[in-house]
Tab-separated table of all heavy atoms in Angstrom:
chain	number	residue	atom	x	y	z
A	1	HIS	N	-3.856	8.845	0.844
A	1	HIS	CA	-2.919	9.887	1.165
A	1	HIS	C	-2.202	10.281	-0.161
A	1	HIS	O	-1.861	9.352	-1.063
A	1	HIS	CB	-1.871	9.353	2.079
A	1	HIS	CG	-2.311	8.848	3.345
A	1	HIS	ND1	-2.702	9.662	4.404
A	1	HIS	CD2	-2.568	7.604	3.835
A	1	HIS	CE1	-3.188	8.955	5.377
A	1	HIS	NE2	-3.066	7.761	5.100
A	2	ALA	N	-2.050	11.597	-0.399
A	2	ALA	CA	-1.309	11.979	-1.516
A	2	ALA	C	-1.820	11.442	-2.863
A	2	ALA	O	-1.100	11.046	-3.748
A	2	ALA	CB	0.283	11.722	-1.394
A	3	SER	N	-3.157	11.419	-2.922
A	3	SER	CA	-3.961	10.947	-3.987
A	3	SER	C	-3.643	9.434	-4.415
A	3	SER	O	-3.902	9.062	-5.568
A	3	SER	CB	-3.544	11.805	-5.320
A	3	SER	OG	-3.863	13.134	-5.072
A	4	ARG	N	-3.284	8.756	-3.384
A	4	ARG	CA	-3.070	7.279	-3.618
A	4	ARG	C	-3.797	6.505	-2.474
A	4	ARG	O	-4.055	6.991	-1.429
A	4	ARG	CB	-1.540	6.933	-3.467
A	4	ARG	CG	-0.753	7.374	-4.648
A	4	ARG	CD	0.650	7.625	-4.310
A	4	ARG	NE	1.531	8.007	-5.505
A	4	ARG	CZ	1.448	9.154	-6.031
A	4	ARG	NH1	0.721	10.141	-5.423
A	4	ARG	NH2	2.193	9.438	-7.111
A	5	GLU	N	-4.178	5.298	-2.920
A	5	GLU	CA	-4.892	4.297	-1.990
A	5	GLU	C	-3.941	3.437	-1.426
A	5	GLU	O	-3.196	2.769	-2.124
A	5	GLU	CB	-6.012	3.638	-2.733
A	5	GLU	CG	-7.214	4.539	-3.178
A	5	GLU	CD	-8.271	3.793	-3.817
A	5	GLU	OE1	-8.020	2.708	-4.368
A	5	GLU	OE2	-9.522	4.245	-3.784
A	6	PHE	N	-3.944	3.390	-0.038
A	6	PHE	CA	-3.023	2.502	0.720
A	6	PHE	C	-3.984	1.385	1.422
A	6	PHE	O	-4.809	1.685	2.103
A	6	PHE	CB	-2.165	3.271	1.737
A	6	PHE	CG	-1.229	4.224	1.111
A	6	PHE	CD1	-1.667	5.413	0.524
A	6	PHE	CD2	0.108	3.862	1.098
A	6	PHE	CE1	-0.706	6.349	0.024
A	6	PHE	CE2	1.011	4.679	0.562
A	6	PHE	CZ	0.657	6.002	-0.025
A	7	TYR	N	-3.586	0.119	1.142
A	7	TYR	CA	-4.405	-0.876	1.571
A	7	TYR	C	-3.719	-1.481	2.814
A	7	TYR	O	-2.501	-2.035	2.707
A	7	TYR	CB	-4.548	-1.990	0.565
A	7	TYR	CG	-5.335	-1.465	-0.667
A	7	TYR	CD1	-4.694	-0.897	-1.676
A	7	TYR	CD2	-6.711	-1.530	-0.636
A	7	TYR	CE1	-5.345	-0.349	-2.829
A	7	TYR	CE2	-7.437	-0.978	-1.741
A	7	TYR	CZ	-6.683	-0.392	-2.897
A	7	TYR	OH	-7.402	0.169	-3.830
A	8	ILE	N	-4.280	-1.529	3.948
A	8	ILE	CA	-3.688	-1.904	5.223
A	8	ILE	C	-4.342	-3.215	5.711
A	8	ILE	O	-5.663	-3.261	5.795
A	8	ILE	CB	-3.844	-0.727	6.341
A	8	ILE	CG1	-3.227	0.563	5.777
A	8	ILE	CG2	-3.182	-1.282	7.592
A	8	ILE	CD1	-4.213	1.414	5.193
A	9	GLY	N	-3.569	-4.137	6.149
A	9	GLY	CA	-4.171	-5.473	6.640
A	9	GLY	C	-3.090	-6.381	6.902
A	9	GLY	O	-1.895	-5.978	6.994
A	10	LYS	N	-3.438	-7.643	7.002
A	10	LYS	CA	-2.425	-8.762	7.266
A	10	LYS	C	-2.339	-9.571	6.007
A	10	LYS	O	-3.301	-9.989	5.431
A	10	LYS	CB	-3.038	-9.547	8.540
A	10	LYS	CG	-2.830	-8.926	9.884
A	10	LYS	CD	-2.869	-9.929	11.019
A	10	LYS	CE	-2.648	-9.364	12.386
A	10	LYS	NZ	-2.839	-10.261	13.449
A	11	LEU	N	-0.977	-9.861	5.693
A	11	LEU	CA	-0.613	-10.728	4.620
A	11	LEU	C	0.307	-11.800	5.270
A	11	LEU	O	1.298	-11.437	5.921
A	11	LEU	CB	0.082	-10.114	3.553
A	11	LEU	CG	-0.800	-9.510	2.343
A	11	LEU	CD1	0.159	-8.683	1.521
A	11	LEU	CD2	-1.428	-10.591	1.596
A	12	GLU	N	-0.193	-13.053	5.171
A	12	GLU	CA	0.683	-14.217	5.731
A	12	GLU	C	0.953	-13.895	7.247
A	12	GLU	O	1.945	-14.149	7.776
A	12	GLU	CB	1.893	-14.375	4.935
A	12	GLU	CG	1.686	-14.544	3.477
A	12	GLU	CD	0.894	-15.855	3.234
A	12	GLU	OE1	0.898	-16.785	3.954
A	12	GLU	OE2	0.138	-15.909	2.205
A	13	GLY	N	0.008	-13.247	7.939
A	13	GLY	CA	0.150	-12.969	9.373
A	13	GLY	C	0.967	-11.912	9.671
A	13	GLY	O	1.072	-11.471	10.932
A	14	LYS	N	1.434	-11.102	8.766
A	14	LYS	CA	2.166	-9.829	8.923
A	14	LYS	C	1.367	-8.617	8.678
A	14	LYS	O	0.643	-8.510	7.676
A	14	LYS	CB	3.460	-9.845	8.103
A	14	LYS	CG	4.332	-11.082	8.220
A	14	LYS	CD	4.889	-11.262	9.571
A	14	LYS	CE	6.078	-12.302	9.659
A	14	LYS	NZ	5.695	-13.647	9.090
A	15	GLU	N	1.598	-7.597	9.518
A	15	GLU	CA	0.990	-6.305	9.217
A	15	GLU	C	1.563	-5.550	8.074
A	15	GLU	O	2.858	-5.381	8.073
A	15	GLU	CB	1.113	-5.407	10.427
A	15	GLU	CG	0.309	-5.864	11.715
A	15	GLU	CD	-1.166	-5.742	11.736
A	15	GLU	OE1	-1.658	-5.083	10.775
A	15	GLU	OE2	-1.838	-6.428	12.520
A	16	CYS	N	0.849	-5.292	7.115
A	16	CYS	CA	1.342	-4.772	5.802
A	16	CYS	C	0.543	-3.616	5.330
A	16	CYS	O	-0.659	-3.465	5.646
A	16	CYS	CB	1.412	-5.854	4.684
A	16	CYS	SG	2.508	-7.252	4.994
A	17	VAL	N	1.162	-2.823	4.524
A	17	VAL	CA	0.486	-1.775	3.774
A	17	VAL	C	0.953	-1.817	2.324
A	17	VAL	O	2.117	-1.874	2.023
A	17	VAL	CB	0.675	-0.395	4.368
A	17	VAL	CG1	2.118	0.052	4.535
A	17	VAL	CG2	-0.062	0.714	3.570
A	18	VAL	N	-0.088	-1.864	1.338
A	18	VAL	CA	0.267	-2.074	-0.037
A	18	VAL	C	-0.139	-0.886	-0.751
A	18	VAL	O	-1.264	-0.365	-0.626
A	18	VAL	CB	-0.431	-3.380	-0.573
A	18	VAL	CG1	-0.156	-3.501	-2.107
A	18	VAL	CG2	-0.022	-4.613	0.268
A	19	VAL	N	0.593	-0.451	-1.720
A	19	VAL	CA	0.277	0.698	-2.612
A	19	VAL	C	0.828	0.552	-3.942
A	19	VAL	O	1.862	-0.072	-4.201
A	19	VAL	CB	0.714	2.086	-2.012
A	19	VAL	CG1	2.245	2.045	-1.824
A	19	VAL	CG2	0.274	3.211	-2.762
A	20	GLN	N	-0.009	0.999	-5.003
A	20	GLN	CA	0.518	1.100	-6.300
A	20	GLN	C	1.208	2.574	-6.506
A	20	GLN	O	0.359	3.526	-6.332
A	20	GLN	CB	-0.492	0.830	-7.318
A	20	GLN	CG	0.131	0.993	-8.812
A	20	GLN	CD	-0.994	0.764	-9.891
A	20	GLN	OE1	-2.060	0.992	-9.472
A	20	GLN	NE2	-0.643	0.684	-11.112
A	21	CYS	N	2.426	2.665	-6.902
A	21	CYS	CA	2.992	4.020	-6.786
A	21	CYS	C	2.785	4.843	-7.974
A	21	CYS	O	2.704	6.068	-7.915
A	21	CYS	CB	4.526	3.832	-6.542
A	21	CYS	SG	5.477	3.138	-7.901
A	22	GLY	N	2.538	4.237	-9.218
A	22	GLY	CA	2.606	4.969	-10.345
A	22	GLY	C	3.833	5.018	-11.128
A	22	GLY	O	4.882	4.595	-10.504
A	23	VAL	N	3.901	5.568	-12.299
A	23	VAL	CA	5.116	5.557	-13.054
A	23	VAL	C	6.070	6.714	-12.753
A	23	VAL	O	5.613	7.837	-12.691
A	23	VAL	CB	4.764	5.523	-14.593
A	23	VAL	CG1	6.034	5.569	-15.453
A	23	VAL	CG2	3.919	4.246	-14.946
A	24	GLY	N	7.357	6.543	-12.675
A	24	GLY	CA	8.374	7.494	-12.555
A	24	GLY	C	8.865	7.712	-11.184
A	24	GLY	O	8.202	7.372	-10.119
A	25	LYS	N	9.951	8.392	-11.031
A	25	LYS	CA	10.660	8.637	-9.732
A	25	LYS	C	9.820	9.538	-8.881
A	25	LYS	O	9.897	9.168	-7.647
A	25	LYS	CB	12.098	9.201	-9.964
A	25	LYS	CG	12.990	8.336	-10.819
A	25	LYS	CD	14.415	8.847	-10.922
A	25	LYS	CE	14.490	10.228	-11.552
A	25	LYS	NZ	15.766	10.811	-11.738
């Protein structure tokens, strides 16, 4: 989404989504 990769899965049993945002506001 919006030229970014979002990783969806379980971490420590919790539903999570992880993304690297890039530099700047």
Side-chain angles (χ1 to χ4, degrees):
H1 304 284
S3 302
R4 288 157 177 76
E5 292 183 336
F6 292 78
Y7 299 91
I8 305 100
K10 284 190 175 182
L11 268 172
E12 305 300 331
K14 305 296 194 305
E15 297 286 344
C16 295
V17 53
V18 178
V19 61
Q20 183 187 11
C21 67
V23 177
K25 294 188 299 180

